[in-house]
């Protein structure tokens, strides 16, 4: 989908001021409320804006350990293992991948012992052959989308 300069400005506000009203967004951007609402509706319909939920911190919820667990799966069992991963609350995300392993998961834990328990749970899932775990030491670049949005907006303005 094409994102123009106004879309970019709208997305920036959504990311920087998520609790602001549509009326206030329209005022800040200098556009009619109806125009802004139509743009927001299109961005949601096209899948650019996928939610409005607050961003929660697993660390603040008592799970400061972050690890990436690569999972190798028996051939033909990828969907089954993927479905089983959804039942493990410490799995924040899971992706099918190329390279070493079949799945990559982002896992949080209370401490290293809890991480070991989660890994043991993963190893015991039917279809899991082996796992490889990498523990994150420090976040260097937090999850972000705004630099990408701004880059797309600059390209659209050219």
């Amino acid at each position: 989908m094409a994102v123009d300069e106004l879309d970019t400005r709208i997305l920036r506000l959504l990311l920087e001021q998520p609790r602001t009203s549509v009326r206030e967004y329209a005022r800040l951007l200098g556009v009619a409320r109806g125009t802004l609402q139509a743009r927001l509706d299109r961005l949601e319909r096209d899948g650019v804006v996928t939610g409005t939920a607050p961003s929660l911190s697993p660390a603040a919820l008592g799970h400061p350990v972050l690890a990436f667990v690569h999972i190798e799966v028996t051939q033909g069992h990828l969907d089954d293992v993927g479905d089983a991963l959804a039942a493990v609350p410490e799995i924040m995300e899971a992706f099918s991948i190329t390279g070493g392993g079949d799945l990559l998961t982002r896992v949080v834990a209370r401490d290293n012992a809890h991480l070991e328990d989660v890994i043991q749970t993963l190893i015991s899932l039917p279809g899991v052959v082996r796992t490889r775990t990498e523990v994150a030491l420090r976040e260097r670049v937090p999850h972000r989308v705004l630099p990408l949005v701004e880059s797309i907006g600059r390209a659209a303005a050219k």
Side-chain angles (χ1 to χ4, degrees):
M1 107 153 246
V3 175
D4 65 16
E5 187 204 349
L6 178 56
D7 292 332
T8 301
R9 291 172 52 214
I10 292 169
L11 294 170
R12 173 186 270 285
L13 278 177
L14 288 174
L15 291 168
E16 291 179 344
Q17 300 177 36
R19 292 179 168 224
T20 303
S21 69
V22 170
R23 178 176 301 193
E24 181 63 9
Y25 287 146
R27 187 190 70 74
L28 290 169
L29 294 169
V31 299
R33 185 186 181 286
T35 299
L36 179 69
Q37 188 63 59
R39 292 288 185 119
L40 286 171
D41 291 345
R42 181 178 52 83
L43 290 167
E44 288 179 10
R45 187 176 53 252
D46 291 346
V48 175
V49 175
T50 58
T52 58
S55 179
L56 304 179
S57 166
L61 291 169
H63 288 67
V65 176
L66 171 63
F68 299 94
V69 180
H70 298 259
I71 303 173
E72 187 177 324
V73 176
T74 304
Q75 214 167 12
H77 292 275
L78 191 59
D79 289 339
D80 297 333
V81 173
D83 292 344
L85 292 176
V88 180
E90 294 85 359
I91 303 275
M92 298 289 99
E93 297 176 288
F95 301 92
S96 298
I97 60 169
T98 62
D102 300 299
L103 294 165
L104 175 64
T105 62
R106 185 166 66 103
V107 177
V108 295
R110 293 184 301 272
D111 52 34
N112 288 345
H114 181 219
L115 176 59
E116 182 181 11
D117 294 342
V118 173
I119 293 166
Q120 291 302 318
T121 298
L122 299 179
I123 291 170
S124 70
L125 294 175
V128 171
V129 175
R130 72 179 48 89
T131 65
R132 181 175 53 92
T133 302
E134 299 163 348
V135 175
L137 300 176
R138 181 179 298 159
E139 182 177 66
R140 299 294 179 166
V141 177
H143 177 77
R144 64 201 183 134
V145 181
L146 187 55
L148 176 63
V149 169
E150 290 175 335
S151 173
I152 293 168
R154 283 191 300 274
K158 290 182 181 180

